[in-house]
Amino acid sequence: MSDLPEFIEHLYEKYRLLDSGSLASYIPELTKADPNWFAISIVTKEGEVFQVGDSQEHFTIQSISKVFVYGMALEDCNRQILLEKIGVEPTGDPFNSVIRLDENSKRPDNPMVNAGAIATAGLIKGSSATDKLNRMLNMFRRYIGHDVFIDAPVFMSERATGHRNRALANLLLNFGIIDNNIDEILDLYFQQCSLVVNCHDLAVMAATLANRGINPITKQQAVKSCYIRDILSVMHTCGMYNYAGEWAYRVGIPAKSGVSGGIIGVIPDKAGIAVFSPLIDKRGNSVRGIKVFEDLSDEFDLHLFDSPLEKCSFLDISKHSKESMVIGN
Ligand code: GLN
């Protein structure tokens, strides 16, 4: 088994020049990303940081936000009410599919696809649109551990061109899943997607999920630990859209991707991993991100269903405690 800092450096070099995939262009502002950006960040539950590449480069979180807003909705509404509105079934369809609402319940299939995420945004509590946004930003602050911002041009760009999401919202209204304040709900959804993060932030957020909801660096509780199982279950079955089954088979850890090129993975009780590279495949998942996760999983036996006897994880941190370091820029 390799040494973790060396191995992520090796992965960075191995995939740095891989240039298949393309920038997401249906949100015009996202085409301003640099296709060369590439970062790998890992944060353990003890708060150790391993990273390589452009881990401080800013980008918008996009669909990775769905995981955290789902956690917030669970706290705001409780599990039973949420399940009445949004299912937990993988779709096998693209993330922005114009929904197959469940025939009986009229629910969107799950909270990781756009239809379910818009329904989730509609369940966030607050006395006004501003109050809801502030509550959401506070939630993200707890996960990230520092102040957070919305990228206004990305928000405006998606708001101006998000006709498909508007169509989904209208269908959800038709079936009584959201109320008729569609514009407010969509704004909140577009704002959550426009949250500014870097790859290190994403790894801290993933590590918080790995650490029963407690940010391993600030030690602040970001989400009630009783909801971690709900969040990780939907990530595991639905987080990579119509690649979720293959991902579960090949990589085997709960994960979530976004069209700006981030992927987070959670190794329960151990660590959070984030990869950022904006070139995405036709399913909306980062091309280099998938490769890095596959290699990390193979090298360190991270697949959840690997035999415990075979696991000789890098996450035995005693081995690395003196080596926690930042590599690259
Ligand atoms: N904001 C994007 C959208 O709603 C998020 C999609 C994604 O990252 N997969 O289309």
Side-chain angles (χ1 to χ4, degrees):
M1 187 186 54
S2 313
D3 173 77
L4 179 61
E6 264 171 35
F7 192 69
I8 59 173
E9 200 168 8
H10 155 74
L11 291 180
Y12 180 80
E13 287 305 324
K14 180 174 174 190
Y15 293 121
R16 192 167 58 88
L17 300 177
L18 174 65
D19 63 355
S20 42
S22 50
L23 297 173
S25 57
Y26 74 100
I27 302 173
E29 275 297 299
L30 296 187
T31 57
K32 294 188 175 161
D34 180 343
N36 295 315
W37 284 335
F38 186 24
I40 305 170
S41 299
I42 298 175
V43 174
T44 68
K45 105 175 208 220
E46 287 76 13
E48 285 198 298
V49 177
F50 302 86
Q51 52 197 22
V52 59
D54 305 308
S55 52
Q56 304 303 319
E57 192 61 58
H58 287 125
F59 55 97
T60 55
I61 188 169
Q62 295 302 331
S63 280
I64 298 175
S65 63
K66 293 168 179 170
V67 167
F68 304 97
V69 179
Y70 185 56
M72 187 176 176
L74 280 161
E75 290 188 328
D76 278 5
C77 300
N78 88 41
R79 186 175 288 147
Q80 204 42 48
I81 294 180
L82 210 61
L83 272 176
E84 281 164 22
K85 300 268 186 191
I86 306 158
V88 288
E89 209 55 42
T91 63
D93 292 332
F95 66 87
N96 57 0
S97 167
V98 178
I99 34 178
R100 241 167 1 98
L101 286 170
D102 178 83
E103 266 177 47
N104 299 317
S105 61
K106 314 295 183 206
R107 299 173 310 176
D109 292 283
N110 70 68
M112 301 290 107
V113 291
N114 288 9
I118 294 167
T120 307
L123 292 169
I124 295 306
K125 299 237 184 309
S127 54
S128 62
T130 311
D131 187 39
K132 290 176 190 176
L133 175 61
N134 279 329
R135 289 191 65 242
M136 188 179 276
L137 292 176
N138 278 333
M139 174 275 292
F140 281 123
R141 236 171 242 132
R142 292 194 296 275
Y143 278 99
I144 295 178
H146 59 73
D147 213 357
V148 295
F149 303 94
I150 301 293
D151 184 319
V154 173
F155 165 64
M156 297 299 286
S157 179
E158 187 166 6
R159 187 200 222 188
T161 56
H163 312 303
R164 208 176 166 94
N165 285 327
R166 216 164 282 283
L168 289 172
N170 277 289
L171 279 173
L172 292 167
L173 170 62
N174 177 63
F175 287 113
I177 300 291
I178 58 172
D179 333 318
N180 64 2
N181 52 348
I182 284 197
D183 289 332
E184 186 184 307
I185 294 171
L186 280 171
D187 274 358
L188 192 63
Y189 171 72
F190 296 144
Q191 282 158 342
Q192 74 177 65
C193 292
S194 305
L195 184 86
V196 176
V197 290
N198 60 35
C199 193
H200 168 71
D201 293 334
L202 287 182
V204 175
M205 296 168 90
T208 301
L209 294 176
N211 192 32
R212 309 300 307 162
I214 300 170
N215 179 316
I217 294 176
T218 64
K219 313 291 180 214
Q220 196 180 12
Q221 186 92 41
V223 61
K224 284 186 185 146
S225 47
C226 61
Y227 292 125
I228 293 291
R229 58 170 268 190
D230 304 63
I231 297 170
L232 295 186
S233 299
V234 292
M235 284 174 75
H236 195 57
T237 52
C238 315
M240 300 298 285
Y241 311 119
N242 39 342
Y243 191 67
E246 199 152 334
W247 176 277
Y249 181 82
R250 288 174 185 273
V251 180
I253 60 177
K256 184 76 199 82
S257 64
V259 285
S260 49
I263 302 182
I264 60 168
V266 177
I267 307 169
D269 215 29
K270 298 278 197 274
I273 303 176
V275 181
F276 168 55
S277 163
L279 293 173
I280 56 170
D281 63 19
K282 59 181 186 316
R283 299 182 175 106
N285 298 324
S286 167
V287 175
R288 291 182 199 156
I290 289 178
K291 294 279 183 207
V292 168
F293 269 96
E294 282 179 0
D295 285 11
L296 277 171
S297 180
D298 279 353
E299 182 69 17
F300 296 106
D301 305 309
L302 300 181
H303 196 296
L304 290 182
F305 307 129
D306 275 338
S307 151
L309 293 176
E310 284 165 19
K311 279 192 190 286
C312 46
S313 172
F314 68 80
L315 300 162
D316 171 11
I317 64 140
S318 53
K319 185 167 171 296
H320 289 289
S321 55
K322 294 198 180 60
E323 299 166 22
S324 168
M325 60 188 296
V326 175
I327 310 160
N329 42 344

